[in-house]
Amino acid sequence: MPPTNISAPGPLHVVRVTDPADERLADYNRLTDVVLRAKHEPAKGLYIAESSTVIRRALAAGHRPRSFLMAQRWLADLEDVIAAATDDAGEPVPVYVAEADVLEAITGFHLHRGALAAMHRPPLAGVHDLLAAARGGQGARRVAVLEDLVDHTNVGAVFRSAAALGVDAVLVSPRCADPLYRRSVRVSMGTVFQVPWTRLESWPGGLRDLQDDGFTVAALALADGALTLDELVADPPERLALVLGTEGDGLSRGAIGTADTVVTIPMAGGVDSLNVAAASAVAFWATRV
């Protein structure tokens, strides 16, 4: 059965869907297939925002919705932001509404967080411009740099810690997992929209660009002669870039060799390292300004 429009208050363009194969729902299909989404989203310039909280934060950051997908009961909760959303022609953005079984058939999982939105990806700023615009134009003083993280959950957790602990910006290496992948966005609770971020074009050349901009590049790694985090904090640089490496292998030799200093987090109990998301939270808290 084809979708049919249903009545809704105000200017909402609400469409009830009963067929999971409807081509208009292609943006939401097979969301659990990581390989498909990793290839599909950047090519179409889209990402998926999940939950009413995340959708609100995305819209508050100025991101533009392509469509919404939700159960009927979530319409009232999001009606204010949906009513304000329009496309390039000024027309209301479509809101696809379906029963729970249809939603699960579309997305591949039980949609219990309220709603999804297919959002247009905003263009990424250049590194220099991004850092210069931080702190109301005064320029960034503390940034996080992520090298080749592969776990989207860790990326989202790093962003959440960066937002909570006042990091000015996050820079990701060319091969780092996508901060706008659905799981990253969800784990970050939408803070990927409030922490300025962009992708470095070269690696480890991007670190040299930071040094040229006056940043002290501190690589968090295990190395002979490394400073402890306490020692770094005792004499903090004016502009600091904290570099965190991929899960398992940690930072590459190129990144460590390019850094101005290597920093370790003092540990006890025979533990030599932390998960990258946990390490980021410790480092962000210790270096807060």
Side-chain angles (χ1 to χ4, degrees):
M1 181 183 297
T4 56
N5 289 340
I6 61 173
S7 60
L12 301 190
H13 177 198
V14 182
V15 178
R16 180 173 298 280
V17 291
T18 57
D19 181 5
D22 188 313
E23 62 181 15
R24 288 179 289 183
L25 303 174
D27 293 339
Y28 301 99
N29 284 334
R30 298 179 62 192
L31 294 179
T32 55
D33 186 336
V34 174
V35 175
L36 173 65
R37 298 310 300 178
K39 294 179 179 178
H40 182 63
E41 289 184 6
K44 296 184 68 175
L46 298 175
Y47 71 89
I48 300 297
E50 180 183 352
S51 87
S52 57
T53 298
V54 169
I55 290 171
R56 285 183 178 278
R57 287 182 173 172
L59 295 174
H63 294 201
R64 297 169 44 245
R66 174 181 170 108
S67 66
F68 301 92
L69 175 66
M70 65 190 68
Q72 174 74 36
R73 67 189 183 91
W74 290 101
L75 266 178
D77 184 58
L78 285 167
E79 182 176 354
D80 57 329
V81 292
I82 293 173
T86 59
D87 61 20
D88 291 340
E91 297 296 322
V93 172
V95 185
Y96 301 111
V97 174
E99 298 298 329
D101 59 335
V102 177
L103 291 171
E104 186 166 351
I106 294 167
T107 63
F109 63 93
H110 177 59
L111 185 60
H112 62 276
R113 295 178 180 88
L116 298 174
M119 307 289 295
H120 293 282
R121 284 175 175 259
L124 291 177
V127 175
H128 180 78
D129 291 341
L130 183 85
L131 299 181
R135 292 179 176 260
Q138 297 180 30
R141 293 178 57 192
R142 189 174 54 136
V143 302
V145 185
L146 309 183
E147 182 190 31
D148 298 356
L149 270 64
V150 298
D151 189 322
H152 295 96
T153 297
N154 282 333
V155 172
V158 170
F159 267 86
R160 189 170 183 182
S161 292
L165 298 168
V167 172
D168 294 321
V170 176
L171 307 176
V172 301
S173 69
R175 297 191 303 176
C176 185
D178 181 17
L180 292 184
Y181 179 72
R182 183 177 63 88
R183 185 179 296 275
S184 299
V185 173
R186 186 180 73 215
V187 171
S188 80
M189 292 298 292
T191 55
V192 293
F193 310 130
Q194 69 189 68
V195 179
W197 73 275
T198 195
R199 192 173 290 276
L200 296 164
E201 293 184 359
S202 65
W203 190 262
L207 297 179
R208 289 188 283 271
D209 292 338
L210 287 174
Q211 291 164 331
D212 291 342
D213 275 349
F215 281 88
T216 295
V217 175
L220 269 73
L222 300 175
D224 293 336
L227 293 177
T228 67
L229 185 58
D230 295 328
E231 291 171 325
L232 176 70
V233 172
D235 186 20
E238 183 177 349
R239 307 184 82 187
L240 175 64
L242 294 164
V243 190
L244 297 121
T246 186
E247 302 85 354
D249 293 335
L251 286 173
S252 66
R253 291 183 179 180
I256 294 173
T258 303
D260 297 296
T261 187
V262 179
V263 177
T264 62
I265 298 173
M267 298 187 194
V271 177
D272 62 1
S273 64
L274 297 173
N275 165 274
V276 64
S280 73
V282 172
F284 297 163
W285 185 87
T287 59
R288 67 197 186 283
V289 293

